[in-house]
Amino acid sequence: MYENLLANIPTELWIGGQWRESSDKSRFDVLDPATEDVIASVASATVDDAAAAVDAAADAAAEWAARSPRERCEVLRRAFELLTANAERFARLITLENGKALPDSRSEVAYAAEFFRWFGEEGVRNLGQLSRAPSSGARIVVQHRPAGVAVLVTPWNYPAAMATRKIAPALAAGCSVVLKPASETPLTMLALMPLLQEAGVPAGVVNVVPSRRSGAVVSGMLHDMRVRVVSFTGSTEVGVKLLHEAADNVVRPAMELGGNAPFIVFEDADLDEALDGAMIAKMRNQGEACTAANRFYVHESVHDAFAQKLSSRMNALKMGNGLENGVTLGPLVNGDTRDKVQELVEDAIAKGAKVTAGGKRPDGKGFFYPATVLTHVPVSANLVREEIFGPVAALQTFSTEAEVIELANKTEFGLIAYVYTRDMKRGLRVSEKLDFGMVGLNRGVVSDPAAPFGGMKQSGLGREGGHEGLMEFLQTQYISVEW
Ligand code: NAD
């Protein structure tokens, strides 16, 4: 099964439009999380390789930036078409290296491709401004120029979409990029490079440097004067480190960091719709999503019915190798992630939580953890404060609107919150009081290339998608004109 899928998948560094081995010849293994088998050995970039990638990006930058927006956007449109035409191959590859079930991988590829389409449309709308200075005869001309070489660092949970969400706006803006994908899942982006080349992306405009030495490699690039943007998606812990690194050369940061999403079910919610939303918000990507519902707050009058129905839906999921037909819950990405989920569940149980589904790690190969529901979760449980990043729904109850708003906001994170109620007046009132960059109001999924995705507080800085996503890769210049 693997041989076919992995045939012709590149495993070297992609620098200046060519495949290269690492300068010290080092490599690292990529595993299939369902079997723990090694599926590929990938070149591990050194600091020198990363510098060569910045050279390539800097050399390619001027010509790419000088092209007309329409020309650049047509390349992006072709990238959308090519990725869509190859969707199944990419979906299988994502499942192979990340573990997620095929339906999740298919959704991811569609979502990833949409960023090329959206920014291929948005890139021709780089609007400036002309106005008259209020107290002189001068004119104020404002335009937005490509920000320069961008370093992109992405996580393993969406190997395609987290990268295209950065590559597409960067290219639309006229920037060239160096991407460092997560070491768990480097194959998807390497496989995308021939497609981007076929779409017409010139050599050096997109470079990919997988590496086991992420810290040194990224730090090296952020201390190169030609790098002007760092766009990172990953944990808050690493994001904070990169903000410090970026400060040295005043590199502009865009940070998509961790979350701790509340999922609020009011007593007047349509319970079946709330359950549909809960299954998506919790179980998309087997819970390995920054947008995953982490804390369920269910009104005390509907809690028992909600818990019972959620448990039976969770028990109905089929856990197994994500490549097999009918599987809806794949393994977690690696042993550490699975062990952390298990520890969080055990901690909650020790502090009084009750298990109504799952809760027990299976024996055997593969980083599997079952769909789990915990009720009576005490506020002292670690999973109330920490991102679970796994298929575990942790339920608490509440009685009043004011109480649940306070509970929901009691976190240093602020990425996304979900609210279910039939009363739209209440829904909007509560949404406005939630300190989160995004709110799903009677919706379990909000991700949309046309909308600004991003967090408040320690969940990040900047936005991806929408028009805002383009602006992250542009810098404003004002020219004062004696008219
Ligand atoms: P991570 O922070 O461990 O790694 C992310 C990337 O940073 C990887 O490419 C990794 O190799 C690299 N990295 C690790 N240490 C580094 C260092 N010292 N310097 C430079 N780069 C370094 O995160 P992860 O485990 O891959 O992903 C899970 C996290 O990502 C979760 O916290 C999740 O919430 C977050 N996430 C956020 C969003 C969002 O849009 N807000 C989306 C997806 C995931």
Side-chain angles (χ1 to χ4, degrees):
M1 172 159 62
Y2 295 166
E3 286 67 27
N4 271 347
L5 194 48
L6 291 169
N8 305 320
I9 299 290
T11 54
E12 307 299 320
L13 314 174
W14 178 248
I15 297 176
Q18 290 183 335
W19 297 113
R20 292 198 200 172
E21 59 181 5
S22 146
S23 55
D24 69 356
K25 312 253 186 301
S26 58
R27 307 187 76 81
F28 62 91
D29 289 340
V30 179
L31 302 186
D32 173 357
T35 60
E36 303 181 33
D37 290 343
V38 174
I39 52 170
S41 163
V42 170
S44 179
T46 63
V47 172
D48 288 347
D49 295 324
V54 174
D55 288 344
D59 289 348
E63 192 272 331
W64 181 246
R67 288 200 189 185
S68 71
R70 175 68 76 208
E71 223 181 309
R72 288 198 300 261
C73 287
E74 279 172 358
V75 171
L76 292 177
R77 173 72 199 194
R78 282 196 293 277
F80 161 73
E81 284 162 6
L82 284 168
L83 183 50
T84 304
N86 286 275
E88 190 61 19
R89 183 162 69 88
F90 276 86
R92 288 180 172 274
L93 183 58
I94 290 171
T95 292
L96 191 54
E97 64 175 347
N98 166 280
K100 67 178 82 173
L102 258 183
D104 275 330
S105 294
R106 290 183 180 125
S107 309
E108 178 181 349
V109 175
Y111 180 49
E114 280 300 330
F115 286 104
F116 287 124
R117 176 152 68 174
W118 172 259
F119 285 107
E121 292 162 347
E122 206 58 14
V124 292
R125 293 188 182 78
N126 175 2
L127 302 181
Q129 192 187 321
L130 170 66
S131 59
R132 186 174 167 176
S135 49
S136 74
R139 293 296 184 277
I140 295 169
V141 175
V142 178
Q143 59 172 347
H144 305 291
R145 297 179 9 181
V149 174
V151 167
L152 316 177
V153 183
T154 51
W156 46 260
N157 63 343
Y158 288 91
M162 294 303 96
T164 61
R165 194 160 84 171
K166 301 181 189 303
I167 295 171
L171 266 54
C175 297
S176 55
V177 306
V178 180
L179 169 74
K180 204 227 54 83
S183 318
E184 291 84 352
T185 57
L187 300 175
T188 302
M189 272 306 109
L190 293 174
L192 185 71
M193 292 306 111
L195 255 71
L196 291 189
Q197 191 177 38
E198 192 183 335
V201 174
V205 169
V206 178
N207 305 276
V208 184
V209 288
S211 180
R212 263 283 174 219
R213 296 160 272 213
S214 322
V217 158
V218 174
S219 171
M221 292 193 282
L222 296 187
H223 289 93
D224 184 315
M225 278 305 291
R226 295 167 298 177
V227 169
R228 299 313 318 149
V229 176
V230 56
S231 178
F232 171 77
T233 297
S235 60
T236 297
E237 187 190 348
V238 175
V240 169
K241 278 189 200 158
L242 295 189
L243 283 169
H244 283 287
E245 300 262 8
D248 291 340
N249 275 354
V250 196
V251 174
R252 177 162 158 187
M255 296 277 145
E256 295 291 346
L257 309 177
N260 181 359
F263 189 105
I264 302 169
V265 183
F266 281 103
E267 65 278 20
D268 64 347
D270 179 317
L271 222 50
D272 287 324
E273 280 182 16
L275 283 157
D276 290 344
M279 289 303 291
I280 301 173
K282 179 71 255 180
M283 297 306 289
R284 198 161 64 114
N285 235 32
Q286 57 266 332
E288 292 173 316
C290 51
T291 51
N294 208 60
R295 298 169 288 150
F296 283 84
Y297 294 110
V298 187
H299 191 269
E300 56 195 8
S301 64
V302 292
H303 170 270
D304 292 355
F306 184 85
Q308 189 244 319
K309 288 185 176 184
L310 183 65
S311 303
S312 48
R313 289 207 193 190
M314 294 284 262
N315 281 328
L317 294 175
K318 185 176 171 205
M319 184 165 74
N321 186 324
L323 286 175
E324 283 168 19
N325 265 344
V327 166
T328 44
L329 176 59
L332 298 179
V333 74
N334 57 28
D336 287 348
T337 305
R338 192 257 318 268
D339 294 349
K340 187 184 164 207
V341 171
Q342 186 183 10
E343 275 168 33
L344 287 172
V345 170
E346 284 169 2
D347 166 77
I349 294 170
K351 289 172 179 165
K354 305 270 176 281
V355 183
T356 60
K360 201 169 172 304
R361 172 183 154 174
D363 295 330
K365 284 270 183 196
F367 307 120
F368 291 98
Y369 197 86
T372 296
V373 179
L374 301 175
T375 62
H376 302 85
V377 172
V379 283
S380 61
N382 293 340
L383 50 64
V384 174
R385 286 187 314 279
E386 290 176 34
E387 222 178 357
I388 303 170
F389 239 61
V392 179
L395 274 53
Q396 302 175 66
T397 56
F398 71 93
S399 53
T400 68
E401 186 179 306
E403 178 197 2
V404 79
I405 290 169
E406 193 187 332
L407 285 168
N409 283 335
K410 220 175 183 178
T411 167
E412 71 271 25
F413 296 108
L415 189 62
I416 183 167
Y418 302 91
V419 178
Y420 273 81
T421 171
R422 279 200 182 92
D423 177 352
M424 282 310 271
K425 221 168 148 183
R426 161 144 81 180
L428 291 168
R429 181 174 67 232
V430 171
S431 297
E432 284 193 352
K433 288 188 181 149
L434 290 169
D435 300 331
F436 292 82
M438 301 176 286
V439 178
L441 180 49
N442 294 323
R443 284 184 64 83
V445 59
V446 305
S447 305
D448 188 327
F453 186 107
M456 294 179 178
K457 301 198 283 191
Q458 292 187 27
S459 288
L461 295 170
R463 293 292 181 269
E464 291 189 319
H467 190 68
E468 290 87 339
L470 183 68
M471 298 309 291
E472 299 290 340
F473 294 94
L474 290 166
Q475 57 189 340
T476 300
Q477 184 180 45
Y478 145 57
I479 305 173
S480 178
V481 183
E482 190 57 51
W483 203 253

